[in-house]
């Protein structure tokens, strides 16, 4: 496709005309990270017409907008969000739920503005643009293979920090809503794994970016698969064991870690770095205990866990890892094989931190905590089921990796404890009924072996 981009004809007037609508709409979106803090202003980073706004049909406007909010650390830039806005003179009834509002002034005065990804015509245009590598203004589109034309799009509603479109049950496009300079790990790591021949992760087939920021990634859609969280809940509801599945999932996790270590640099953790990790965990524990007094009786035992990690000799390997691994980030296909997805890491953390090498036991600890959470959905709480799953997962990991994560008990226990402390604060604030889940782990982990 030739370069057809045009930035908007009056970018200086565009953002002020959109500001009243964005003030209302943005904080209500599930992927908006600044909830609870006042929005004080917007800065336009880039505006690109992917479809002309003054044509007979709908227009599609791509925006990168910085959102000013008080309370961010000094010297850190405001969050930048990616918006894809549809523009029409009249909005069809089927798109009424997507309406953001009507513009009162400026270059688009009188037009209806809406969430463009919910318009099949506009979502289809985005796919067609990915099929034809090249530039559209500041946007660059890439593809690794020829893609079939004219696949019907549908938007998924289950996303939290991003938005996803499925095309014809063949591909899924993840749109990163909050963007930062640098390669997003959800593109970088699957590309590296594909290069290493790892079949546990769907390989990216196309993506688009602006400057140094990754904006979206297209991957094969594993349509006959189910996520590990739902499978675990079904097993609990049916009174079935999940140890065979957990063991296979441990092997799959190890295979991903081994492939990442082959594809990307690794090194050894220095003693000073281990001390810094433990000190940061201790600081988070102190802050958590101030926020949730129920933690107070367990603080001495938890601090001992972190002290044991700090006193370790170091030497553990650090490498690129998943960074936010749990049952919901895994898919089991109809053939019984496991796949690992969503390598973005914890979206709330800075991109540089998410891209830094870390011990593999951090991923293992995240999965161990996930088994506890699954068991909590069962009545009565089936804690033994979770313990058997945790053991089977580590056994499977050892079978593939050649080393058992339980042979590094101090660091594994520290990461599991740190995760449980985070969960206590989260549940106390958002889901008090779930607070017993991490608190049971806190009691277990704070007890000397």
């Amino acid at each position: 496709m030739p370069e057809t981009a045009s930035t908007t004809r009056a970018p200086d007037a565009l953002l002020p005309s959109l500001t009243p609508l964005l003030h209302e709409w943005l904080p209500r979106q599930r992927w908006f990270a600044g909830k609870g803090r006042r929005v004080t202003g917007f800065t336009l980073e880039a505006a690109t017409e992917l479809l002309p706004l003054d044509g007979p049909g709908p227009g599609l406007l791509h925006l990168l907008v910085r959102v000013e909010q008080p309370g961010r650390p000094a010297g850190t830039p405001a969050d930048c969000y990616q918006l894809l806005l549809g523009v029409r003179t009249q909005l069809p009834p089927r798109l009424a739920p997507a309406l953001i509002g009507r513009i009162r002034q400026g270059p688009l005065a009188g037009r209806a503005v809406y969430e463009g990804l919910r318009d099949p015509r506009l979502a289809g245009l985005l796919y067609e643009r990915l099929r034809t590598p090249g530039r559209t203004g500041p946007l660059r589109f890439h593809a690794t293979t020829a893609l079939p034309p004219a696949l019907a799009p549908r938007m998924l509603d289950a996303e939290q920090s991003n938005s996803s479109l499925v095309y014809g049950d063949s591909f899924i496009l993840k749109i990163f809503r909050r963007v930062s300079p640098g390669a997003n790990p959800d593109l970088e790591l699957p590309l590296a794994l594909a290069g290493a021949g790892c079949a546990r992760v769907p390989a990216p087939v196309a993506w688009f970016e602006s400057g140094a920021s990754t904006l979206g990634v297209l991957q094969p859609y594993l349509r006959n698969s189910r996520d590990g969280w739902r499978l675990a809940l079904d097993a609990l509801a049916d009174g079935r064991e999940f140890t065979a599945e957990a063991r296979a999932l441990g092997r799959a996790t190890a295979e991903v870690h081994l492939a990442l270590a082959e594809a990307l640099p690794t090194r050894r953790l220095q003693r000073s770095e281990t001390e810094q990790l433990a000190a940061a965990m201790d600081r988070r524990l102190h802050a958590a205990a101030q926020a949730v007094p129920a933690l107070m009786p367990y603080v001495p035992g938890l601090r001992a866990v972190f002290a044991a990690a700090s006193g370790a000799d170091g030497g553990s390997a650090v490498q690129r890892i998943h960074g936010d691994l749990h049952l919901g980030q895994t898919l089991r296909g109809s053939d019984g094989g496991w796949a690992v997805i969503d390598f973005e890491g914890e979206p709330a953390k800075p991109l540089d931190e998410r891209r830094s090498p870390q011990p593999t036991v951090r991923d293992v600890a995240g999965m161990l905590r996930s088994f506890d959470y699954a068991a909590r959905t069962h009545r009565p709480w089936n804690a033994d089921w979770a313990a058997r799953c945790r053991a089977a997962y580590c056994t499977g990991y050892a079978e593939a990796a050649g080393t058992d994560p339980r042979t590094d008990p101090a660091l594994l226990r520290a990461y599991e404890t740190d995760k449980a402390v985070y969960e206590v604060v989260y549940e106390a604030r958002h889901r008090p009924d779930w607070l017993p889940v991490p608190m049971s782990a806190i009691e277990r982990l704070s007890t000397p072996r």
Side-chain angles (χ1 to χ4, degrees):
M1 177 181 290
E3 184 172 326
T4 58
S6 63
T7 52
T8 54
R9 290 165 298 285
D12 293 340
L14 175 66
L15 188 60
S17 68
L18 289 169
T19 291
L21 304 183
L22 296 182
H23 263 292
E24 287 288 323
W25 180 74
L26 263 178
R28 298 200 307 265
Q29 305 313 300
R30 286 180 295 179
W31 40 261
F32 184 70
K35 286 183 172 59
R37 291 186 287 132
R38 183 168 56 95
V39 174
T40 57
F42 301 95
T43 303
L44 185 64
E45 292 288 306
T48 307
E49 293 182 24
L50 289 171
L51 264 185
L53 304 183
D54 52 3
L60 179 57
L61 179 62
H62 182 281
L63 297 180
L64 294 176
V65 176
R66 291 203 178 273
V67 181
E68 301 289 343
Q69 293 182 281
R72 72 175 187 272
T76 60
D79 287 338
C80 183
Y81 290 91
Q82 177 180 195
L83 309 179
L84 288 112
L85 305 181
V87 179
R88 289 178 181 253
T89 303
Q90 295 294 330
L91 199 63
R94 62 184 171 81
L95 292 176
L99 179 65
I100 297 174
R102 283 195 173 273
I103 296 183
R104 298 181 179 274
Q105 59 184 2
L108 302 178
R111 304 286 188 89
V113 176
Y114 61 101
E115 169 57 88
L117 297 181
R118 294 197 175 275
D119 186 337
R121 180 172 175 183
L122 300 183
L125 169 80
L126 194 56
Y127 173 75
E128 291 302 316
R129 194 62 194 86
L130 285 163
R131 291 184 60 238
T132 53
R135 295 185 66 100
T136 300
L139 307 180
R140 299 189 305 278
F141 295 84
H142 308 267
T144 62
T145 187
L147 299 172
L151 296 180
R154 59 186 172 90
M155 191 173 181
L156 297 183
D157 291 322
E159 295 295 316
Q160 295 295 327
S161 58
N162 299 294
S163 299
S164 288
L165 293 159
V166 173
Y167 291 97
D169 282 344
S170 297
F171 301 101
I172 183 168
L173 172 64
K174 179 185 284 189
I175 303 289
F176 301 113
R177 289 300 196 163
R178 188 168 62 153
V179 298
S180 303
N184 192 295
D186 214 6
L187 171 64
E188 180 188 19
L189 297 188
L191 280 176
L193 288 165
C198 180
R200 294 291 187 179
V201 178
V205 294
W207 64 93
F208 69 110
E209 59 194 0
S210 177
S213 299
T214 308
L215 300 180
V217 180
L218 187 73
Q219 293 172 282
Y221 182 59
L222 307 180
R223 57 182 175 274
N224 292 320
S225 61
R226 299 187 66 203
D227 73 77
W229 175 255
R230 179 51 54 190
L231 289 169
L233 298 192
D234 287 349
L236 282 159
D238 295 341
R240 289 186 287 106
E241 285 295 306
F242 197 67
T243 51
E245 293 90 338
R247 189 169 179 169
L249 183 54
R251 289 195 295 269
T253 305
E255 288 175 20
V256 170
H257 283 163
L258 290 171
L260 285 172
E262 177 187 338
L264 298 168
T266 66
R267 60 180 179 81
R268 292 288 168 181
L269 196 65
Q270 301 298 312
R271 172 70 178 268
S272 60
E273 293 177 297
T274 307
E275 293 171 351
Q276 291 168 10
L277 279 173
M281 292 175 178
D282 195 87
R283 289 193 296 272
R284 288 191 287 271
L285 171 62
H286 177 77
Q290 299 300 312
V292 186
L295 274 174
M296 284 294 188
Y298 303 99
V299 166
L302 299 175
R303 295 193 72 186
V305 173
F306 299 144
S310 178
D313 291 333
S316 298
V318 291
Q319 61 168 79
R320 297 298 297 276
I321 64 171
H322 184 283
D324 189 25
L325 191 62
H326 53 78
L327 285 166
Q329 308 283 42
T330 65
L331 295 172
R332 191 166 184 244
S334 56
D335 61 354
W338 285 102
V340 182
I341 59 172
D342 293 337
F343 280 76
E344 190 180 0
E346 296 182 31
K349 294 197 172 181
L351 185 59
D352 286 347
E353 182 177 339
R354 288 184 271 144
R355 296 184 68 208
S356 63
Q358 300 174 62
T360 55
V361 291
R362 179 180 173 182
D363 276 350
V364 173
M367 189 62 74
L368 299 186
R369 295 297 313 124
S370 194
F371 288 123
D372 264 6
Y373 264 78
R376 178 63 172 86
T377 66
H378 187 268
R379 298 293 188 273
W381 188 0
N382 198 335
D384 289 340
W385 181 94
R388 291 191 294 272
C389 286
R390 291 197 302 268
Y393 177 80
C394 289
T395 298
Y397 190 98
E399 290 170 349
T403 57
D404 193 316
R406 291 167 292 190
T407 61
D408 195 0
L411 203 54
L412 176 61
R413 194 174 180 87
Y415 270 112
E416 192 177 355
T417 301
D418 188 49
K419 183 73 170 178
V421 168
Y422 164 82
E423 292 163 355
V424 165
V425 176
Y426 180 89
E427 302 300 3
R429 289 176 177 170
H430 301 288
R431 300 188 300 184
D433 290 348
W434 283 75
L435 187 57
V437 184
M439 286 304 299
S440 71
I442 291 294
E443 182 177 1
R444 170 173 59 86
L445 293 162
S446 65
T447 303
R449 295 193 175 198

